[in-house]
Amino acid sequence: MGEDGTTRREVLQAGAAAMAVAAMTDQAFAITGDMAGLPWANNAMRWAQVAFTEEDPPRYDPQFWFDLFKKTHAEAVILSAGGDIAFYPTKVPLHKRARDLGDRDMLGEMAKGARALGMSVVCRVDPHAMSEEAYAAHPEWAACTADGKPRRHWAAADMWVTCQNGGFFFDFMPAVLKEITTLYRPEGFFGNRWAGSGMCWCATCRAKFRATTGLELPTGNDPQEPRRKAYILWNAEMRAAQFKLWNDTVKAVKADSFFSPNGGMNDPNNVIIPIVGIDRQGRSGTTPLWMMGKFAKQVRAYMQNLPVCGIFNVGIEDTNRWKDSVQRGPELEAWAHSGIAQGFRPWFCKFNARVFDPRWVAPVTKIYQWHYANDRYMRNTANLARVAILNSTQSGTFTAGGVAPEAGDNIRAAQRVGDSQNGYYQALVEARIPFEMADDRQMEPAHIGRYRLLVLPDIAALSDRQCRQIRDFVTAGGRIVATGETSLYDELGKKRTNFGLSDLFGCDYVKTEAGIKNSYLTPRHPHALTRGLEDAPRIIAATQQLTVRPHDATSQPLTLVPSYPDLPMERVFPAQEQTDIPMVFCRTVGKGRVVYFPMDIDRTFWEVLAEDHLVLLKNAVLWAMDEAQPMTVAGPGLLDIAYWRQARSLSAHLVNMNNPMFMKGPYREMIPAGPYTVSLTIPDGARVGAVKLLESGIVPKTQAHGAQLVVEVPRVRLHEVIAVDLA
Ligand SMILES: [Zn+2]
């Protein structure tokens, strides 16, 4: 759930749709990461959000917040301003003031106090609902269900849900943004629920959609149905137009201000947004602790060097939405640090300016004070990983039911795409291979050239141009590991007759079979891919398998034992004990290497977590990579790692995930682990100065071997950082 009940599905649909336009127009995107003129956004390392309620104004204690901002060294504050409800004496007609605002200016007094502390002020707007009065004056502003009926707000009975394509978003909200910018001169705006509340079937939407596409609005969700496909693309255009209008409106009043949508536009066209906050407020259901770090990697992939913030809620995040609850310290710390290690700037979010339960204050203060004390090691300029998992939103949008790939969500339609990605993600975490994520819309050499290897976890949808970019990457010496139906569809989900990358894979596509039971693989030796499986005459196969026609008769290190009955027990024997049917292709292509598994081995790994599959997924990367990792770690258990460079230092992060609550929070306690021996490759031209550990505060034992710096880390409580000053 997002801050105000946006499901991840909604957020991602908006983002995925924006992305679809990018795929459609197939442009080259140039991201410079240029922060010229926007220094404050780049400088604010710690962010604090207070989401006001209507009864706050006469009852809250502003000094509590100013004291906290000071104590936590927060540098930017996000304050509720307006949209559905105003927290200042607005003069925009129908802009409803908060019930208990009276003559007060809560936004103004909080902004003034924050500015006195030297903080930047970001105004939060939320356009998703309107009052009874606004509805009476403009019934056409309301969002409608498929049968054309206006939507009452699902939680606030006296409010109405607004249409994202009508006057509320395109006339009323610009007036609000203009007034707030004029009165308060905020450094920026943060838009919550900025993209509407799901599909709208009002007269405005019907007319606008018909005018652009000549079609009626769809009711189904099949992305291959022409009306639905047209809607996905049209919605993306509408959001881009909305973003431009809102951003331009703000800038017309204050040139260096901006509008930043929650989660960004997820579109490289719009990385001019100087800062993006990603609303991933906490764990619910089964969510591995590394997920906050994964969100950081996904967003940094399209934001490039621009700052990204991880928004975390101090309460209990669940579909039941206990908004005034409090999460205890260990889980708050673990979730925030999982993101910080992977490059998020922390952004805590507190609902309600009144504090019913202060137990969150100490853990948040602790996280922020540590971050402040080590500020210079958090100002990353480059991540030194040489491996990246390619993130494909279009695969989820157009090949898996119209929703983007996402982990931690129970969206069955997109689950296959997200699960494949999570499977390989988990494998790389377990293998302690430092890795990033790359964005499928930014595959020019300027973006992916820094990687030695790209993992393509069942990246079904790839345009001809994207296939060409991957081919060029390999020809120039890059390496890929691909699984399943990678490149079998174009960017809009149209199935090809053969893989777009068949020349790299070394085989042609014949057919896909899903739900295969009781099938096995025979590891063949000796080969780097099957190293570690010498004692295993057979291992389990993946459940979705592709029949392919190899281009040549080269023997491969993994062959198929076809499925055979699993009942009755008297029939549980293989028709063929071994075959020569290859289930992996390990190939050298140009100066590069390619590993292709014609099965969803990564998705099966996420389901079963079989160690044999971990060995294969790890070996595939190591063999294809054929280069030492820049950071290696020896020691017990499960760690999420990262290796960064700053202007005059290096930092190696170890996040301790050895906890029984790793896959499902909340953490009850920290369980320290260690000792670890960490070996770091020092970049060319850099000379090692002082080395220290930022969690324990000690100076560790180190040894230098050529370009390798070996550091002994006695134990990791939650998040240890080896900080290496460069001389
Ligand atoms: Zn509408």
Side-chain angles (χ1 to χ4, degrees):
M1 281 287 172
E3 184 200 316
D4 282 356
T6 333
T7 63
R8 285 187 187 140
R9 179 184 174 125
E10 287 163 357
V11 169
L12 284 159
Q13 275 179 329
M19 185 284 312
V21 166
M24 189 74 162
T25 52
D26 212 25
Q27 297 164 13
F29 301 109
I31 315 298
T32 63
D34 183 6
M35 296 304 300
L38 301 164
W40 80 267
N42 206 20
N43 287 340
M45 294 294 285
R46 287 161 297 280
W47 297 59
Q49 178 176 356
V50 194
F52 305 158
T53 71
E54 290 199 82
E55 64 152 31
D56 280 336
R59 297 176 183 85
Y60 86 114
D61 172 13
Q63 198 55 44
F64 167 85
W65 292 105
F66 303 142
D67 291 345
L68 184 67
F69 298 157
K70 199 169 174 188
K71 201 162 58 171
T72 53
H73 304 275
E75 295 171 316
V77 66
I78 299 87
L79 300 172
S80 304
D84 49 1
I85 289 164
F87 287 90
Y88 67 97
T90 176
K91 295 197 172 63
V92 174
L94 303 171
H95 193 201
K96 185 159 174 122
R97 298 187 193 186
R99 191 194 71 187
D100 297 344
L101 186 67
D103 294 329
R104 268 182 97 156
D105 179 359
M106 185 171 177
L107 170 62
E109 65 202 34
M110 284 291 284
K112 190 176 168 202
R115 283 232 165 83
L117 293 169
M119 298 174 77
S120 298
V121 173
V122 171
C123 285
R124 172 192 179 279
V125 291
D126 186 327
H128 89 277
M130 65 178 166
S131 65
E132 200 71 74
E133 297 90 315
Y135 175 71
H138 288 282
E140 78 282 5
W141 285 355
C144 292
T145 50
D147 57 6
K149 293 212 171 69
R151 287 172 66 189
R152 273 276 181 198
H153 196 278
W154 57 91
D158 61 332
M159 297 184 85
W160 296 83
V161 179
T162 50
C163 163
Q164 63 269 36
N165 299 311
F168 194 87
F169 275 49
F170 284 81
D171 300 321
F172 172 81
M173 280 305 296
V176 168
L177 290 163
K178 188 176 171 186
E179 182 182 66
I180 295 170
T181 315
T182 307
L183 290 175
Y184 301 99
R185 317 285 301 168
E187 276 67 35
F189 282 85
F190 171 73
N192 191 61
R193 293 195 75 99
W194 72 282
S197 305
M199 201 169 154
C200 173
W201 283 267
C202 76
T204 308
C205 288
R206 285 172 195 277
K208 285 189 174 178
F209 185 66
R210 203 182 297 120
T212 307
T213 66
L215 299 168
E216 294 303 314
L217 285 169
T219 48
N221 207 26
D222 174 5
Q224 292 310 312
E225 193 268 312
R227 289 187 303 159
R228 178 74 197 164
K229 188 176 280 193
Y231 176 79
I232 293 170
L233 299 171
W234 174 75
N235 182 48
E237 288 170 20
M238 291 302 294
R239 299 289 68 77
Q242 177 199 339
F243 167 76
K244 186 172 187 311
L245 174 64
W246 290 19
N247 196 43
D248 288 352
T249 300
V250 169
K251 284 182 173 301
V253 182
K254 186 170 186 280
D256 62 355
S257 195
F258 59 89
F259 174 75
S260 181
N262 186 348
M265 278 289 285
N266 215 4
D267 177 349
N269 275 321
N270 289 289
V271 294
I272 46 166
I273 303 165
I275 181 86
V276 158
I278 307 303
D279 196 353
R280 293 291 180 264
Q281 304 212 5
R283 295 202 285 171
S284 62
T286 47
T287 307
L289 187 69
W290 47 247
M291 194 60 78
M292 190 60 155
K294 182 185 171 192
F295 293 133
K297 293 184 187 189
Q298 276 178 323
V299 181
R300 286 193 294 98
Y302 64 79
M303 285 291 282
Q304 298 294 330
N305 294 325
L306 298 171
V308 297
C309 299
I311 304 174
F312 66 98
N313 174 4
V314 303
I316 292 167
E317 194 55 33
D318 187 271
T319 47
N320 296 308
R321 297 172 59 74
W322 291 287
K323 303 312 285 181
D324 277 327
S325 61
V326 166
Q327 191 74 260
R328 283 180 185 267
E331 178 67 15
L332 274 177
E333 274 191 72
W335 189 241
H337 278 272
S338 161
I340 291 168
Q342 303 302 338
F344 262 151
R345 298 179 181 195
W347 168 332
F348 78 76
C349 175
K350 171 69 179 73
F351 300 104
N352 208 321
R354 290 199 299 147
V355 178
F356 297 113
D357 179 345
R359 287 177 296 170
W360 60 274
V361 176
V364 165
T365 303
K366 183 178 171 193
I367 295 164
Y368 276 54
Q369 287 184 345
W370 178 86
H371 197 272
Y372 173 72
N374 300 297
D375 185 278
R376 58 177 286 226
Y377 300 107
M378 304 295 139
R379 295 178 181 273
N380 302 314
T381 55
N383 185 288
L384 301 177
R386 296 277 284 156
V387 174
I389 293 179
L390 188 67
N391 188 38
S392 169
T393 0
Q394 66 197 18
S395 291
T397 305
F398 290 112
T399 66
V403 283
E406 169 64 356
D409 275 342
N410 295 317
I411 304 170
R412 260 176 300 166
Q415 201 136 9
R416 197 178 66 80
V417 178
D419 285 357
S420 300
Q421 190 183 69
N422 283 341
Y424 229 121
Y425 200 103
Q426 169 75 17
L428 293 180
V429 170
E430 286 198 57
R432 296 178 185 164
I433 293 171
F435 69 100
E436 284 277 83
M437 295 192 78
D439 194 289
D440 66 346
R441 296 152 288 172
Q442 300 181 45
M443 291 204 290
E444 295 73 30
H447 300 307
I448 60 171
R450 72 183 179 95
Y451 299 117
R452 172 84 160 178
L453 183 141
L454 290 178
V455 175
L456 313 177
D458 222 326
I459 304 291
L462 286 169
S463 69
D464 289 346
R465 178 168 180 274
Q466 290 169 317
C467 288
R468 207 157 53 236
Q469 290 172 320
I470 292 169
R471 195 173 292 114
D472 291 346
F473 172 75
V474 172
T475 309
R479 286 99 205 284
I480 61 168
V481 176
T483 66
E485 292 193 323
T486 293
S487 78
L488 190 57
Y489 298 80
D490 74 8
E491 69 277 23
L492 295 179
K494 185 163 178 284
K495 195 171 177 179
R496 296 187 170 100
T497 53
N498 197 1
F499 302 114
L501 298 173
S502 67
D503 55 331
L504 298 187
F505 295 170
C507 59
D508 294 325
Y509 176 76
V510 178
K511 64 171 183 179
T512 305
E513 244 183 297
I516 297 178
K517 290 182 176 176
N518 205 36
S519 158
Y520 298 84
L521 301 167
T522 309
R524 309 281 181 158
H525 308 287
H527 194 286
L529 189 95
T530 51
R531 191 173 293 150
L533 295 172
E534 288 81 359
D535 63 345
R538 53 154 58 180
I539 65 175
I540 63 171
T543 63
Q544 177 167 294
Q545 299 173 8
L546 282 71
T547 305
V548 297
R549 197 178 300 112
H551 292 169
D552 58 48
T554 311
S555 66
Q556 294 293 347
L558 212 54
T559 55
L560 182 68
V561 179
S563 169
Y564 53 92
D566 63 334
L567 271 177
M569 285 304 160
E570 294 80 357
R571 296 281 168 81
V572 184
F573 59 87
Q576 291 170 282
E577 290 186 27
Q578 281 192 6
T579 69
D580 292 325
I581 301 168
M583 291 308 283
V584 71
F585 292 81
C586 298
R587 311 179 67 236
T588 299
V589 180
K591 291 185 214 157
R593 288 187 179 185
V594 175
V595 177
Y596 170 62
F597 293 97
M599 55 181 165
D600 64 347
I601 183 171
D602 35 17
R603 195 212 58 77
T604 304
F605 179 61
W606 189 237
E607 182 182 337
V608 182
L609 289 175
E611 190 175 352
D612 295 338
H613 289 173
L614 170 62
V615 171
L616 291 174
L617 294 170
K618 176 183 175 179
N619 284 350
V621 169
L622 296 181
W623 177 81
M625 180 111 171
D626 192 30
E627 178 189 275
Q629 298 298 333
M631 172 181 181
T632 61
V633 184
L638 189 66
L639 298 173
D640 193 19
I641 64 171
Y643 189 21
W644 293 94
R645 183 167 187 156
Q646 300 82 39
R648 294 174 57 199
S649 54
L650 302 166
S651 62
H653 294 245
L654 309 172
V655 183
N656 174 8
M657 304 217 165
N658 297 290
N659 196 298
M661 313 311 274
F662 156 71
M663 278 281 184
K664 177 174 171 48
Y667 267 31
R668 309 279 194 249
E669 60 180 326
M670 298 302 172
I671 302 173
Y676 295 100
T677 301
V678 181
S679 182
L680 303 173
T681 305
I682 304 302
D684 285 348
R687 280 184 42 236
V688 172
V691 180
K692 63 186 170 213
L693 302 182
L694 302 184
E695 184 186 57
S696 60
I698 66 167
V699 174
K701 284 186 192 143
T702 60
Q703 281 186 300
H705 303 287
Q708 295 300 116
L709 176 71
V710 179
V711 183
E712 302 297 336
V713 177
R715 75 203 270 274
V716 180
R717 178 185 168 269
L718 169 65
H719 178 197
E720 186 56 282
V721 180
I722 302 168
V724 181
D725 290 337
L726 297 177

